[in-house]
Every structure is written in structure tokens, then in C-alpha cells.
Amino acid sequence: HRFSKPSSVVIWRCGAAGWYKRTETFEVFVTHNGDLDYWEDLDAKVLRTHNEVGVWLRGVLDTRHRIANCDSVKVAGLVELLRTQGIWKHALRLGALLASSQPSFSAPLLDKQVLDAAAAVADDVWSRFVAQHGDSATSEPHNLLVLVTWLAAELYEKVRILCNRYGTCERLAELATQYFLNNDLFTSVNQFLAHAHGSFGISACCSIDRDLVVLASRGQAMSLAFNELHGTCAHTSTSRSFPDYHDCA
């Protein structure tokens, strides 16, 4: 299942020569066996049905096409929302939901023009920041404080609407930096499960994490099988799906 169609994103990666950015295709896929009974708000003990979550996600993720009326699609959308590492646009989108003085489920959404402008500012700040600090850019706590302060000042100066509608620029910069640095695919699935009520046998993958699949289980079994002869593995939430996998070609 997927919630949104593929989109192009600017993503930052750290290689042997340091940090660099490139444009890649972003798309999240999830397989899910179980039931998403309720989703607990990110910042409040309020439970939402998957139908409520679907309506909310369409606004947050700016999804215009029709969404299937099943809970697994909503699981995919929530993982998509939370998968923000390396992508300032997605980190700011998630940060704005929690920086607002209103609960995240009713917080004002960043419209496309404002989000694009804020992401351009963040990309520019990050580019200059890593050029100055090199390998220690993210390893020193003091450097991260410098980054948050710098980003907040630039957002306030260049995207003034942010400070009036989405909480303080300082809080938005702090949250966005946290999500930009930390919310990889594993963390995203883990955060989803922390707020989800129901049963879940999940596999999740993302087009920008080409060598990674995250498996998770709660209240629903997940099984792994390995074929040493062919160097392959398979996973399923129904173990009888591959009783003789080790003998398969």
C-alpha cells in the first residue's frame, strides 16, 4: 500500500566527501496484516479512527487523488509523514504540526508555497552550516544549538508568516532539525507504533532507502525465512506462506 504518489524531493546525504544534496523520487510502501483500530494524536491522548486519519492525512500530505478506504493505506500515510530524515521540506511539515499552539490534529497546515519557501531557506542554511563545521556538524551539541538559532533567525527574516501561524520560529526550527537528523525509516515505523492501537504485522520500505526494509510486529506474527543456497530471504505475517521456502529455487 502507498498513500501518496511518487514525488521529487531534495535530500541531503553524508558521503565520504561530506554532505551533499540531490533530487530523488520519494515514495513509501507498506504491507500490513492486522487492524489499525485507532491512532493516538502525536501530542495528545485523543484517539482517531482510520477514517478520520485518512481525511487529516490528505490535507497534511497535500494528496489530491482518491484514497482507498482501508486502514493499511492510512498506515502507509502515517509512516510517510514521519519519514523525514535528510529532507527539510518533510521535517518542516511535521515540525509545523507540533510547533503550533493548537493540537497537531487541528493545527494550521503549511500551504505549498510557504512550505517550499521554508524548505529553500533550510536547505541554504544547512549548506552553509555544514560548509563551516564539516565533520563535526552533527556530532557536537553546541553546533546543533547554533544551527537551530541560525535557522530560526532565517525563517523569521525570510518567511515571516511562519512566526504568526505556526508557533515561534525557534520551536519550529528546533523540531524540524530534530526530525531532519533523526527520523529515518526505522524511527518512523517505531514512532507510528508508539501511537497506534491495534494489531500489526508490518513491512515498510521507501524509495530513498533502497537497501532497507523495516519489519515490525505487535499483536500479529511476522515470520522470516532464509535460503542460503540462493542468498535470499522472505518475510510474511502468515508463516504457512512459505513452509518449504528453504527448498525453493
Side-chain angles (χ1 to χ4, degrees):
H1 300 274
R2 71 179 184 186
F3 195 90
S4 300
K5 294 180 179 180
S7 62
S8 294
V9 297
V10 174
I11 182 171
W12 286 88
R13 298 188 182 277
C14 189
W19 288 90
Y20 64 95
K21 70 176 179 178
R22 54 187 290 179
T23 300
E24 298 185 19
T25 299
F26 180 86
E27 190 174 15
V28 169
F29 286 95
V30 165
T31 61
H32 165 231
N33 188 23
D35 295 290
L36 174 60
D37 295 330
Y38 297 101
W39 164 257
E40 186 177 298
D41 286 359
L42 291 168
D43 54 355
K45 298 293 184 180
V46 179
L47 301 182
R48 312 286 181 177
T49 66
H50 77 82
N51 288 324
E52 291 177 293
V53 168
V55 173
W56 177 68
L57 281 173
R58 289 195 69 185
V60 173
L61 300 177
D62 192 28
T63 302
R64 305 303 173 92
H65 61 277
R66 193 172 181 179
I67 302 300
N69 187 30
C70 70
D71 59 343
S72 298
V73 172
K74 314 323 182 337
V75 173
L78 289 165
V79 174
E80 177 185 337
L81 171 64
L82 295 167
R83 172 59 185 92
T84 59
Q85 187 184 62
I87 307 172
W88 279 112
K89 183 175 181 178
H90 292 182
L92 286 159
R93 179 177 64 190
L94 180 57
L97 295 175
L98 296 170
S100 172
S101 59
Q102 300 181 41
S104 60
F105 213 80
S106 57
L109 304 179
L110 284 172
D111 61 53
K112 186 179 186 304
Q113 291 75 21
V114 174
L115 181 56
D116 287 344
V121 169
D123 282 328
D124 178 62
V125 169
W126 179 252
S127 178
R128 290 184 283 160
F129 174 75
V130 295
Q132 288 185 17
H133 295 278
D135 293 339
S136 66
T138 60
S139 61
E140 298 291 336
H142 174 71
N143 287 347
L144 296 181
L145 179 59
V146 170
L147 171 61
V148 169
T149 303
W150 189 355
L151 178 57
E154 291 282 310
L155 289 173
Y156 181 82
E157 179 65 28
K158 297 178 180 178
V159 195
R160 297 296 295 272
I161 190 175
L162 289 175
C163 62
N164 296 322
R165 295 183 60 196
Y166 307 99
T168 66
C169 286
E170 289 80 4
R171 181 60 175 158
L172 177 59
E174 178 186 3
L175 289 169
T177 299
Q178 173 186 329
Y179 299 142
F180 174 83
L181 294 174
N182 299 327
N183 274 35
D184 57 10
L185 187 60
F186 174 83
T187 302
S188 304
V189 173
N190 192 44
Q191 289 182 351
F192 161 76
L193 287 174
H195 292 269
H197 295 247
S199 57
F200 307 94
I202 295 176
S203 70
C205 58
C206 182
S207 58
I208 60 175
D209 303 305
R210 295 189 181 93
D211 58 348
L212 179 65
V213 175
V214 174
L215 305 180
S217 174
R218 191 176 73 204
Q220 179 72 44
M222 285 291 286
S223 301
L224 280 169
F226 298 90
N227 188 311
E228 293 184 46
L229 178 63
H230 300 283
T232 59
C233 69
H235 56 83
T236 179
S237 63
T238 308
S239 59
R240 62 178 179 272
S241 298
F242 46 51
D244 299 317
Y245 179 75
H246 61 285
D247 296 324
C248 295

